[in-house]
Amino acid sequence: MNKLLTAAAAAGVIIAAAACSTGNETATETDYAAYVNPFIGAADNGHTFPGATTPFGMIQTSPVTGAVGWRYCSEYVYSDSVIWGFTQTHLNGTGCMDLGDILVMPSDGSRRRDWDQYRSPFDKSTESASPGYYAVTLSAPDVRAELTATPHAALHRYTYNRADSSALLIDLQHGPAWSEAQYHSHVRLCETQWEDSVTLTGHVINSVWASQDYFFVMQFDHPVSDITTLAPATDTERGQRIVAGFDLRPGEQLMMKVALSTTSVDGARRNLQAELPGWDFDAVSDKARADWNSYLGRIDVDGTDTQKTNFYTAFYHSLLQPNMIADVDGSYRNAADSVVKATGGEFYSTFSLWDTYRAAHPFYTLMVPERVDGFVNSLVEQAETQGFLPIWGLWGKETYTMVANHGVPVIAEAYRKGFRGFDADRAFEAIKRTQTVSHPQKSDWEIYTRYGYFPTDSLETAYDDYAAADMASLLGRTDDEKIFRERADYYKNLFDSQTGFMRPRLTDGTWRTPFDPASVGHSESVGGDYTEGNAWQYTWHVQHDVPGLIALMGGNDAFADKLDSMFTTELVTTQADVTGLIGQYAHGNEPSHHVTYLYALAGRPWRTQELIRQIVDTQYRPEPDGLSGNDDCGQMSAWYMFSCMGFYPVDPVSATYVIGAPQMPGFTLHLAGGKTFSIRAEGLSKENLYVESVTLNGKPHTSPYITHDEITRGGELVFKMTDRHQSHKNNNR
């Protein structure tokens, strides 16, 4: 934990946080934000960033220590010692490059000719971060930089400690890219205007992962004394680099506001006026922290400070996205580049659906239910614009990243769980079109229905079909339900009973040969028959029909024995996204996330309990390199929170959670309508990792599941822990 966070926790900082907006009317005085360490995951693999933002905010202003190559997807690596500047938007825990808009960097008064000469070393001991705040001292110009944010605007405060004159680099060419060539060529248009001596406005269009329009208003609390425009570094650059000079005395502060919009400069101006009319940095930072506490306080955790740091940082990371990109008046730029009004005034993007449908979206349905209808409406609106639900949506555009279309289960899960703040028929039409109308980038349904499988990588699509069938059944659309139920069983066409694996199959019906179940593929981008995984990992990708998969494998014992082999057979791979290995199990990548819970559905719940403890202890540490893989827009974090609480959504659409084993003594969930759900682990210790019995509201609970309704009605779930597991012959679950 960094020094600022340690001091805050030790001092027992108290802050009055607003009552949770889910309907809980009890205000909280605990400073939950003191347990959040934004540096967790900010090493090579986690791809998190430490900067300032608000829950689901569009603005995420953070330092840049690099911008070229996969290592810098979030623009920050904790071990680096040089800062390039501070950008206003970021991606959290992804494996792709984009955003990183409007780099600014304070400097002394000397005018450097080359753009890369404005970078500065920094002393790590001067760096601190907490929810809604980031600070560091830049050694070269001796400037203390501090950042905070509102949902649509950043506020920067720079203290120039020694300069007789001062300057600020404004780099509109900057943006994270896969290569140096792309870094210098991704900007297609850049227009700016100095409206007066303290206001710069502009419009930039760039394209790295998705085509992006952003408009900005930048204001200073001191007038600009002089302006220098740097020459382009290459003939492919279109983005301007401006050095603004200021007449400041040593020790004087310069403050800067930056507001963004996808629609227009006027939209950015309205956002700025609505959210950041003044210049009180501390008040804005305090408000951001209070906003975070109003969310983090929805779960009270009993445990050690280390456990609380891990848990509340995971909670924090899970709320960094999706991002609400509509302006304060509800306007946004859609996938057709038209400016429209969002349904209900909210439009969210940054949907890493291949990752987040598994646990992050189920977590939202429990702990931030007031956002769920807005998420669904946003998915449906984008589908109606582009013809299908987002695959991986970024700033209202489509990136076509990953396989299948897991916007389908996100909508179906919400409807199954009783969310009704969206037009269900409209939403189902978006689902049906997504699952039946081909488009050249990703979907060829004629091939799928002709063969009963895609010749490569179709297991995830079967889950989407199941989700579509479930929603059709609730809507009484029997014909649609029949079609999608049949397709949901297509996974059986890929099971090879001779090898016991889900195996790639050719169009003539024969199995692909040779076949190595340990061979890792990434069919979505670089080839192979699996996406960021192999046959060992994908064979279990039947979340919707575990009994059917068990039957294919010959029953519970054969199924569980095969699972045992997965965790003991060594995997050797250089695939960057396949990490956190326990045998063939890869916790650093999402297709493995539900697998440990399958033991509980095959009569060996103690194996689930053992493995959860092992994963929690080894794959989540409160350090910059403490995440075993990309956080993936909160999915890694959501797995941790669910698993620590003692249950996990193996099949999110079913509105049930498979019971595992809690990893902390207790939790109190403050739910909608003022209800609470308490979880207690009696006798939990290092040795007592097994579950002897479970009671729900004082009555024995022998089902391997707990339902969403059982949790949201409120109550108490009590685990009695022991150091000895029960055999599968006498285990009640």
Side-chain angles (χ1 to χ4, degrees), residues 428-486:
F428 184 77
E429 284 303 316
I431 286 175
K432 183 176 179 180
R433 181 176 177 84
T434 296
Q435 293 300 103
T436 58
V437 178
S438 298
H439 57 87
Q441 292 86 354
K442 285 289 180 179
S443 298
D444 190 334
W445 298 114
E446 288 74 21
I447 285 181
Y448 188 60
T449 56
R450 182 186 311 158
Y451 299 112
Y453 54 88
F454 285 124
T456 181
D457 222 348
S458 54
L459 289 165
E460 304 218 36
T461 297
Y463 188 75
D464 295 344
D465 286 333
Y466 151 78
D470 189 76
M471 189 167 178
S473 71
L474 295 177
L475 292 171
R477 297 187 177 217
T478 55
D479 290 343
D480 291 325
E481 180 187 1
K482 181 180 179 182
I483 291 170
F484 290 121
R485 290 262 182 237
E486 179 181 341

Side-chain angles (χ1 to χ4, degrees), residues 241-261:
R241 293 191 180 92
I242 301 165
V243 180
F246 299 89
D247 291 327
L248 301 179
R249 295 183 299 274
E252 198 167 359
Q253 292 180 336
L254 171 69
M255 296 183 68
M256 177 189 70
K257 304 174 184 178
V258 186
L260 291 182
S261 170

Side-chain angles (χ1 to χ4, degrees), residues 240-304:
Q240 299 174 28
R241 293 191 180 92
I242 301 165
V243 180
F246 299 89
D247 291 327
L248 301 179
R249 295 183 299 274
E252 198 167 359
Q253 292 180 336
L254 171 69
M255 296 183 68
M256 177 189 70
K257 304 174 184 178
V258 186
L260 291 182
S261 170
T262 67
T263 66
S264 63
V265 168
D266 284 342
R269 201 186 321 274
R270 285 190 293 270
N271 293 339
L272 186 63
Q273 291 169 345
E275 296 178 358
L276 197 54
W279 293 96
D280 191 334
F281 184 96
D282 293 335
V284 174
S285 179
D286 289 346
K287 172 64 166 58
R289 191 180 187 93
D291 287 348
W292 279 111
N293 274 314
S294 73
Y295 283 89
L296 300 173
R298 298 180 185 191
I299 302 178
D300 279 301
V301 176
D302 295 332
T304 66

Side-chain angles (χ1 to χ4, degrees), residues 172-349:
L172 302 177
Q173 176 63 42
H174 176 85
W178 290 106
S179 65
E180 283 285 345
Q182 188 179 49
Y183 181 84
H184 294 288
S185 62
H186 69 99
V187 174
R188 293 185 288 148
L189 178 145
C190 179
E191 300 172 332
T192 61
Q193 179 181 351
W194 286 98
E195 295 190 353
D196 53 43
S197 63
V198 295
T199 307
L200 176 67
T201 61
H203 173 208
V204 176
I205 301 176
N206 57 31
S207 182
V208 176
W209 194 11
S211 179
Q212 178 194 13
D213 278 75
Y214 70 83
F215 299 82
F216 70 89
V217 173
M218 181 181 293
Q219 290 184 346
F220 303 97
D221 70 339
H222 286 71
V224 174
S225 59
D226 62 273
I227 298 168
T228 302
T229 300
L230 301 183
T234 70
D235 58 9
T236 60
E237 290 192 347
R238 299 292 180 268
Q240 299 174 28
R241 293 191 180 92
I242 301 165
V243 180
F246 299 89
D247 291 327
L248 301 179
R249 295 183 299 274
E252 198 167 359
Q253 292 180 336
L254 171 69
M255 296 183 68
M256 177 189 70
K257 304 174 184 178
V258 186
L260 291 182
S261 170
T262 67
T263 66
S264 63
V265 168
D266 284 342
R269 201 186 321 274
R270 285 190 293 270
N271 293 339
L272 186 63
Q273 291 169 345
E275 296 178 358
L276 197 54
W279 293 96
D280 191 334
F281 184 96
D282 293 335
V284 174
S285 179
D286 289 346
K287 172 64 166 58
R289 191 180 187 93
D291 287 348
W292 279 111
N293 274 314
S294 73
Y295 283 89
L296 300 173
R298 298 180 185 191
I299 302 178
D300 279 301
V301 176
D302 295 332
T304 66
D305 282 352
T306 296
Q307 289 174 325
K308 289 180 180 180
T309 294
N310 267 337
F311 190 91
Y312 285 113
T313 303
F315 200 166
Y316 169 82
H317 280 148
S318 73
L319 305 187
L320 293 179
Q321 64 289 299
N323 306 118
M324 219 280 281
I325 68 167
D327 292 342
V328 292
D329 68 355
S331 300
Y332 74 97
R333 183 176 301 274
N334 69 13
D337 274 329
S338 299
V339 174
V340 298
K341 290 279 189 175
T343 300
E346 297 180 346
F347 185 86
Y348 296 87
S349 199

Side-chain angles (χ1 to χ4, degrees), residues 643-658:
S643 294
C644 286
M645 291 190 292
F647 45 85
Y648 184 82
V650 169
D651 171 10
V653 173
S654 70
T656 63
Y657 306 85
V658 176

Side-chain angles (χ1 to χ4, degrees), residues 500-550:
F501 288 100
M502 294 291 177
R503 183 173 175 180
R505 199 167 190 172
L506 305 179
T507 56
D508 63 2
T510 61
W511 302 112
R512 186 187 297 281
T513 303
F515 172 61
D516 177 5
S519 178
V520 174
H522 197 344
S523 66
E524 189 274 331
S525 59
V526 297
D529 295 296
Y530 307 91
T531 293
E532 296 183 11
N534 62 17
W536 274 107
Q537 294 148 19
Y538 264 95
T539 290
W540 316 102
H541 209 294
V542 187
Q543 296 163 266
H544 60 292
D545 188 15
V546 177
L549 183 60
I550 290 173

